[in-house]
Amino acid sequence: MKNKLMQYMKEDGKLKGALLGISIRSVNSGEVILEHQADIRFHPASNMKLLTAAAALCLLGETYTFSTEVRADGEVEKGRLTGNLYLIGKGDPTLVPEVFEEWAIELKKRGIAIIEGDLVGDDSWYDDIQFSPDLTWTDEQYYYGAAISALTASPNKDYDTGSIMFEVTPAAPGEKPNISVYPKLDYITIQNKATTVSQWVEDELIIERKHASNTFVISGVISANEEPVQELMSVWNPTQYALQLFKKALKNEGIELSGEIEEGRLPRKTTRLLARQSIPLSDLLVPFMKFSNNGHAEVLVKEMGKVRNNEGSWEKGLEVMKEQLKELGMDLDTIVIKDGSGISHSNAIPPSEISRLLFQVQNQPWFQTFLNALPIAGEEDRLAGGTLRERMNGIRVLAKTGTIEGVSTLSGYMETKRNRALIFSIMLNHLLDEEIGKEIEDELIKIIYEEC
């Protein structure tokens, strides 16, 4: 196998100028079968999520849930709440529009028709730094760079926190396309500068959010015969986003809010009206790992800091994460960790350390949960195949993908043609095209499958 791999690396022009690291181990013994530049530190991209998931399972556990509360600082008499209504977030990434609607229905059932006060959002469970230190500011507008808040919301059950869904449908040639948004809120402004054209064009439609605002600009062109284009975009200030969803739900149920929407802290004396627990971490790991959800990763980092050190920050969370990874056998002296998602180009991990972690976690009681959350190659079902559903058909591979500019990575578990169970980590850096990186990974996996 080594000769085949070396020949491939020497002859394949796609690798020219890029760096490649490989570490392959036996699933059963952990024995190193093949290494190539395996002790050199590479940018892991979303392979970092393997570390975040393992640390979170160690510290928080499979059954861990996030809580959200609705409280009041006044009394309810004759349908009137005399005082403020508080929405207290504690990191739950699974709040979708339907949840706010359910809360409004329940408040109405309890006889509340008028709130003579403000709707206040308390997101103080985490600190007020909402973007990871190395996030490129141009990425803030996209769902994968959304701000991290203890009070946030998602448009659907992929749980892309702090984001909304745009759908752009072509109109007649020469006319502006139709734009719909979910969830629909007055909180955002849309500037439609796009045009429908008769000729076929591909990837010519651009959706952008103006920096530090909720003004979205749709420009470029879309073909008249093209299918509707869907795009997730992040909102500015996810705390306000959650509050706006709650305000809309209250209005839909006929509950009048006389005051304003504000952000603030919960006073000492309040009464709990509603409480909700999220799905357990074991279930959250599925969209987290299958769809490579950056928001979940950073929430987990902050939650680890809050649980262990009573501070929901990247600084404290990464300290705790490193403690857990050390207990799992990783050599912290040779790795650099700057976030939980892998979006930072300052993260640096050798392939050998990732393959070591994947061997060590097999001994943990939560390993099956960890394994079940990994994308499965060639599985068409989104909740099974995830980011690998269109890759490596016919080969049994459960692995985490990773992609940022110039980087493509793939690490996980596989079975070879001879039924040999392997752990592998393939890391490519300094690529001119990340899509070429995926081709290289798939070709390397095929060689490993055939030769080992």
Side-chain angles (χ1 to χ4, degrees), residues 219-232:
S219 60
V221 297
I222 184 171
S223 298
N225 295 324
E226 187 172 344
E227 293 294 320
V229 174
Q230 291 188 337
E231 188 73 47
L232 280 167

Side-chain angles (χ1 to χ4, degrees), residues 102-123:
E102 290 167 4
W103 286 341
I105 291 170
E106 184 59 32
L107 291 176
K108 186 176 182 179
K109 286 180 180 178
R110 296 191 180 196
I112 297 176
I114 300 174
I115 299 168
E116 294 185 339
D118 298 327
L119 176 59
V120 182
D122 185 342
D123 61 7

